[in-house]
Amino acid sequence: MSRNNHNKGNRSRGPEPPSPDVIDASDIVDSIDGEPSLRVISRLQRNGFEAYLVGGCVRDLLVGLTPKDFDVATSAHPRQVRRLFPRNSHVIGRRFRLVHVRYGSQSVIETATFRAAPQETSGEDDLLIVEDNTYGTAAEDAMRRDFTVNGMLLDPYRRQIIDHVGGLRDLEDGVLRTIGNPFIRIPEDPVRILRAIKFATRLGLRIEEDTWEAMCDGAEDLSRSAPPRVTEEILRLMRSGTALGAFNKMRHCGVLGVVLPDLDEFLGEVEGADRIHEKRVSNFRALLEALDSSVHDGVDVSTASCLALLFHDIVEVEANPSTRTQRGKPGDFHTVAGEVLEDMASNARLSRRDVGRARRIIYQQRIFTAPFGRRFRPALFCLSEEFPESLDLFRLRCEAEGEGWDLYKAWEERYESAITLDDDEVESERRQARRRRRRK
Ligand code: ATP
Ligand code: MG
């Protein structure tokens, strides 16, 4: 790949840069031969519209990663896109209209019309974006994106990458920076703080100084962002395979105290923590490290498992009368797990079902280590809905704490044999459990 044009990229809002960086991308285009989004781009271009691959897929292709999805941006308006794909497209979104073009049962190509930077804000000194829906040019569309590495366009038919924002150079230098002034771009959508952490850790990029400063300054503003978006980004960070790195950055820029205040308080001060808090932090880090290696091994981490992992240690402390910080004597482990999850559940608008499952996963951690009661049927416990996730968390805890492996192995064996039981055998286990209950 060779650059045939070089400019410094536009670092501030204003008129679009006169000439973008353009590089040959033949190798990349050859590597995505047959990709369905190319058919969408081809038809749009043949009908006189501009169309490109944009955003995350261009970035990922440049660094040799497999993109999760291939998004298309075009000069065609949603209705014009619909007309070109009458049978396999539909418009989605009310506030911001996109067209989904479908090929087969597997691939849906998100096709968005170029948008310009939004003008509206929610108040005079307030930069938060409330409206984001003005159509624009390809260059404007690149400029309103969040980070330079996410702002490049790929034209598969001219076999070129077109860079209006300095993303090529930043990717080469390993730098994550906002497009334009970070002291404007971060406050206008504080969720970008979490996105910056995600991209920096996932791609191993260094966060540019001003961008980092704006992130630290803007951490508090995240409390004003839509809770479901914030929760979604936290869950993505947990499942990214770089949860530990993300957690360290979240703590250092002060954002953990805003998005997960109970956890942040539980872990204590970032600098100069006492021995108890130091130990909590090192335990929690070890747990995230175990989680990351599990993600690298291909384990899927459910929302409930993420929540259970985040809050398990707090529940242990709150369920113990000698370490409890909340008022009143602790109830049983299950009740305390409910108390601890309650705040997060209502603030983050998590589904009742996920919170209920997280609560059971936390509660079940106790069962792994407790002696069996008379009524307890291990096989039935192994067949309960959350058991595989609970055992998985127990495994991560063993890995983090470096102990408990014998117990883990024994439970793993019980699970292996429980899943081979046939219906009659399960029924007989149930009968025995009921019988014991009656006798009591
Ligand atoms: P991933 O691989 O995690 O999906 P992505 O870069 O594709 O990463 P998306 O969240 O799918 O990220 O968004 C697609 C593109 O839309 C981004 O690359 C970016 O250009 C733009 N974008 C997404 N969210 C924002 C935002 N909050 N502000 C500005 N631009 C954004
Ligand atoms: Mg994406």
Side-chain angles (χ1 to χ4, degrees):
M1 285 190 285
S2 67
R3 281 191 202 184
N4 50 26
N5 184 356
H6 191 91
N7 86 14
K8 290 227 152 66
N10 191 324
R11 300 266 177 257
S12 62
R13 283 287 173 89
E16 55 189 67
S19 53
D21 281 346
V22 179
I23 63 164
D24 175 73
S26 296
D27 295 350
I28 286 179
V29 175
D30 290 340
S31 75
I32 54 170
D33 191 33
E35 180 23 66
S37 53
L38 303 187
R39 289 160 68 180
V40 176
I41 293 177
S42 163
R43 191 176 299 180
L44 285 163
Q45 290 191 352
R46 276 188 281 118
N47 283 275
F49 297 108
E50 273 184 84
Y52 305 94
L53 284 175
V54 284
C57 67
V58 183
R59 174 200 69 215
D60 287 349
L61 289 167
L62 275 164
V63 296
L65 294 174
T66 309
K68 270 195 244 148
D69 34 40
F70 289 81
D71 296 335
V72 171
T74 178
S75 57
H77 286 199
R79 222 178 293 152
Q80 296 170 311
V81 180
R82 273 282 296 128
R83 230 175 278 145
L84 289 178
F85 303 90
R87 267 196 285 272
N88 59 335
S89 73
H90 64 275
V91 176
I92 60 153
R94 235 189 251 161
R95 197 172 68 88
F96 176 63
R97 286 147 61 83
L98 291 170
V99 184
H100 274 177
V101 184
R102 191 176 288 278
Y103 282 108
S105 58
Q106 292 294 313
S107 50
V108 174
I109 295 112
E110 202 164 283
T111 308
T113 307
F114 298 142
R115 276 186 286 168
Q119 299 302 321
E120 295 89 333
T121 58
S122 60
E124 238 170 51
D125 300 321
D126 202 336
L127 295 167
L128 197 72
I129 294 177
V130 290
E131 190 67 53
D132 190 5
N133 218 359
T134 326
Y135 295 137
T137 62
E140 283 169 333
D141 189 73
M143 302 284 290
R144 58 103 196 160
R145 290 172 184 273
D146 47 7
F147 303 102
T148 60
V149 297
N150 289 347
M152 291 170 276
L153 309 167
L154 172 61
D155 183 334
Y157 296 97
R158 289 185 186 84
R159 301 167 81 78
Q160 285 176 337
I161 286 175
I162 298 132
D163 176 18
H164 294 275
V165 295
L168 282 168
R169 197 194 35 218
D170 281 343
L171 207 53
E172 224 163 75
D173 296 347
V175 173
L176 188 89
R177 107 174 63 228
T178 55
I179 295 172
N181 184 343
F183 298 98
I184 296 174
R185 301 306 313 280
I186 297 289
E188 76 185 8
D189 179 7
V191 174
R192 288 176 186 152
I193 299 171
L194 296 175
R195 290 177 57 81
I197 292 174
K198 172 174 71 179
F199 296 123
T201 49
R202 192 204 291 170
L203 302 163
L205 304 176
R206 175 176 71 75
I207 300 177
E208 175 268 335
E209 290 75 12
D210 281 352
T211 301
W212 175 255
E213 203 181 315
M215 288 164 63
C216 300
D217 286 358
E220 287 291 337
D221 297 341
L222 250 180
S223 59
R224 296 193 301 156
S225 297
R229 280 186 74 206
V230 174
T231 309
E232 184 59 36
E233 289 296 341
I234 295 171
L235 292 173
R236 280 200 197 176
L237 290 175
M238 298 275 296
R239 298 178 177 126
S240 64
T242 51
L244 175 60
F247 161 81
N248 288 337
K249 287 200 168 60
M250 281 172 78
R251 228 157 111 78
H252 280 102
C253 80
V255 85
L256 193 72
V258 180
V259 297
L260 294 169
D262 294 344
L263 179 64
D264 194 57
E265 198 178 316
F266 172 78
L267 296 171
E269 299 296 321
V270 176
E271 307 272 333
D274 58 28
R275 292 264 294 282
I276 292 177
H277 289 96
E278 232 174 53
K279 178 101 183 62
R280 287 180 184 177
V281 172
S282 70
N283 278 353
F284 190 69
R285 285 205 175 124
L287 200 55
L288 292 179
E289 207 176 339
L291 172 71
D292 285 342
S293 61
S294 182
V295 169
H296 287 296
D297 291 342
V299 175
D300 255 345
V301 193
S302 68
T303 298
S305 293
C306 289
L307 296 174
L309 187 145
L310 287 173
F311 293 104
H312 171 271
D313 292 359
I314 304 184
V315 176
E316 265 203 339
V317 165
E318 292 301 330
N320 180 341
S322 65
T323 50
R324 185 170 170 86
T325 63
Q326 292 179 16
R327 260 185 286 145
K329 269 199 212 147
D332 62 28
F333 209 61
H334 193 246
T335 310
V336 177
E339 278 168 17
V340 170
L341 285 167
E342 185 64 30
D343 272 357
M344 168 82 185
S346 53
N347 290 343
R349 290 195 224 136
L350 288 157
S351 82
R352 281 276 130 215
R353 181 179 143 75
D354 283 335
V355 175
R357 298 184 69 240
R359 183 177 177 180
R360 286 190 289 280
I361 295 171
I362 292 177
Y363 164 69
Q364 290 181 350
Q365 299 303 304
R366 274 272 156 113
I367 305 181
F368 292 125
T369 50
F372 293 176
R374 278 159 47 85
R375 268 162 52 183
F376 181 68
R377 307 295 305 166
L380 291 183
F381 172 46
C382 290
L383 294 174
S384 64
E385 189 190 335
E386 283 84 18
F387 183 87
E389 285 155 278
S390 294
L391 185 63
D392 218 49
L393 178 57
F394 188 60
R395 181 177 58 81
L396 299 184
R397 291 178 48 229
C398 291
E399 213 163 300
E401 287 157 27
E403 57 187 35
W405 284 113
D406 293 350
L407 284 171
Y408 172 75
K409 287 263 154 20
W411 277 109
E412 201 179 33
E413 279 163 25
R414 284 186 198 107
Y415 176 67
E416 295 299 336
S417 73
I419 53 176
T420 63
L421 296 180
D422 61 27
D423 290 353
D424 291 344
E425 288 166 319
V426 173
E427 193 40 49
S428 138
E429 287 281 332
R430 291 218 172 93
R431 262 201 310 277
Q432 294 202 43
R434 283 198 293 269
R435 201 174 303 146
R436 288 212 179 275
R437 225 170 281 151
R438 268 204 300 274
R439 251 188 245 152
K440 196 170 178 209

